[in-house]
């Protein structure tokens, strides 16, 4: 599998994305410290999910692989390298202090172990934990649920990318196939979220299938940006081609005039 993405549609570093990510994280932190000051701050997690979908699609679009095996292994290697070191450090440091300050740390440490494997969100759902309850606030590993949702999304997403043809083709067809797949699954996910929220808030909040639509929205935003970038690049290329053609015609006419003048002399 060989991806030949044009440099014209590669997305370089975008500081505004990091800025938006920082604002989203800050909103969540403020909400945890004082929910009355910023009652909607928890929506920063939703913004973060959209950014993740955008960035991961951009990352896949800018890389080439010679085979399916290389595509999947390189993708997961990058995810492990990016996420695991910080997560392990957080779990170990938090676990050290939990052992000193909690009378019965076993349950909390168990959540930390699950966080390392990206399934803390599933455990929180099984325990029917209310994210904003006092018991949840006292468990530092509760906050790893969103990372679990992302990691489960990453298990599925590369297969969807490969299935669509987007992974090995920069053509419009590959982008449109991926947009159709993600658009359909996102619509199903959003419908699931709407259905679950009044009936089972823990499932709607913690589980990846009911959160897929947010990361899918980020993916669709990148595909829209990619398509518009290709159209701009195509128009610029056509303009340059037209100018070259005009210059060539003018040169031909100029040569003809010179020959005529020389013949008259």
């Amino acid at each position: 599998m060989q991806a030949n993405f044009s440099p014209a549609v590669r997305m370089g570093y975008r500081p505004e994305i990091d800025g938006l990510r920082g604002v989203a994280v800050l909103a969540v932190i403020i909400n945890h410290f004082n929910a009355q000051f910023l009652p909607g701050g928890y929506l920063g997690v939703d913004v973060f999910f959209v950014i993740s979908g955008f960035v991961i699609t951009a990352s896949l679009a800018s890389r080439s692989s010679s085979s399916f095996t290389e595509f999947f292994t390189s993708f997961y290697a990058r995810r492990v390298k990016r996420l695991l070191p910080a997560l392990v450090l957080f779990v170990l440091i938090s676990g050290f202090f939990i052992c000193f300050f909690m009378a019965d740390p076993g349950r909390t440490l168990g959540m930390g172990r699950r966080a390392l494997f990206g399934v803390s969100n599933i455990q929180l759902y099984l325990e029917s934990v209310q994210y904003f309850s006092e018991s949840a606030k006292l468990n530092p590993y509760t906050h790893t649920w969103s990372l679990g949702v992302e990691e489960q999304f990453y298990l599925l997403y590369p297969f969807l990318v490969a299935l669509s043809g987007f992974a090995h083709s920069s053509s419009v067809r590959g982008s449109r196939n991926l947009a159709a797949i993600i658009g359909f699954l996102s619509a199903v996910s959003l419908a699931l979220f709407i259905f679950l929220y009044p009936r089972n808030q823990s499932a709607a909040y913690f589980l990846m299938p009911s959160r897929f639509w947010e990361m899918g929205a980020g993916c669709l935003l990148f595909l829209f940006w990619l398509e518009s970038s290709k159209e701009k690049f195509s128009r610029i290329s056509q303009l340059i081609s037209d100018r070259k053609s005009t210059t060539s015609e003018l040169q031909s006419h100029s040569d003809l005039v010179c020959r005529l003048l020389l013949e008259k002399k």
Side-chain angles (χ1 to χ4, degrees):
M1 175 180 61
Q2 182 67 38
N4 296 310
F5 290 94
S6 169
V9 297
R10 286 186 179 180
M11 188 186 71
Y13 173 69
R14 304 294 294 265
E16 62 271 24
I17 292 178
D18 272 347
L20 185 59
R21 186 185 280 125
V23 170
V25 172
L26 183 61
V28 174
I29 293 173
I30 292 174
N31 178 263
H32 278 293
F33 276 103
N34 191 337
Q36 293 181 345
F37 181 77
L38 192 62
Y42 62 90
L43 293 176
V45 177
D46 303 83
V47 174
F48 209 91
F49 282 149
V50 175
I51 293 172
S52 294
F54 185 96
V55 170
I56 198 64
T57 310
S59 175
L60 289 172
S62 64
R63 298 178 183 274
S64 60
S65 302
S66 59
S67 66
F68 281 101
T69 302
E70 183 184 344
F71 171 71
F72 288 111
T73 55
S74 62
F75 174 81
Y76 291 120
R78 292 193 303 272
R79 300 279 70 74
V80 169
K81 183 178 179 180
R82 177 177 175 270
L83 299 174
L84 196 58
L87 178 60
V88 170
L89 185 63
F90 166 73
V91 170
L92 290 176
I93 293 176
S94 299
F96 176 81
F97 286 103
I98 286 169
C99 290
F100 275 96
F101 294 102
M102 293 187 71
D104 185 16
R107 182 177 179 183
T108 302
L109 292 175
M111 186 66 69
R113 288 193 297 272
R114 290 175 177 83
L116 289 174
F117 293 96
V119 294
S120 60
N121 62 315
I122 296 175
Q123 184 62 31
L124 289 166
Y125 158 69
L126 292 174
E127 295 178 0
S128 297
V129 171
Q130 293 297 322
Y131 183 71
F132 297 101
S133 66
E134 289 302 318
S135 60
K137 290 179 181 179
L138 294 174
N139 187 341
Y141 300 128
T142 300
H143 311 300
T144 62
W145 74 270
S146 58
L147 186 59
V149 169
E150 282 195 36
E151 290 175 357
Q152 290 153 31
F153 175 79
Y154 293 153
L155 288 176
L156 173 65
Y157 191 55
F159 292 94
L160 299 178
V161 171
L163 178 66
S164 69
F166 180 77
H168 53 83
S169 173
S170 59
S171 67
V172 173
R173 183 177 180 181
S175 298
R176 290 180 177 174
N177 286 345
L178 182 59
I181 293 172
I182 297 300
F184 172 75
L185 292 177
S186 295
V188 173
S189 172
L190 179 57
L192 179 64
F193 178 85
I194 294 171
F195 174 80
L196 285 175
Y197 191 78
R199 297 169 176 81
N200 189 336
Q201 288 192 8
S202 292
Y205 197 88
F206 288 122
L207 298 184
M208 188 276 287
S210 53
R211 291 285 187 169
F212 180 97
W213 65 275
E214 294 176 313
M215 289 164 284
C219 167
L220 294 174
L221 283 173
F222 174 79
L223 293 175
F224 175 78
W225 176 87
L226 182 64
E227 192 69 22
S228 62
S229 297
K230 286 181 179 180
E231 290 177 0
K232 289 178 183 178
F233 178 73
S234 178
R235 288 197 296 269
I236 292 172
S237 298
Q238 185 62 44
L239 181 61
I240 293 172
S241 178
D242 292 343
R243 286 187 176 181
K244 285 182 178 180
S245 178
T246 302
T247 302
S248 178
E249 290 178 4
L250 288 174
Q251 183 65 41
S252 298
H253 291 317
S254 176
D255 291 342
L256 178 60
V257 170
C258 288
R259 285 199 298 271
L260 291 173
L261 290 174
L262 289 172
E263 289 174 1
K264 286 183 179 181
K265 289 182 179 181

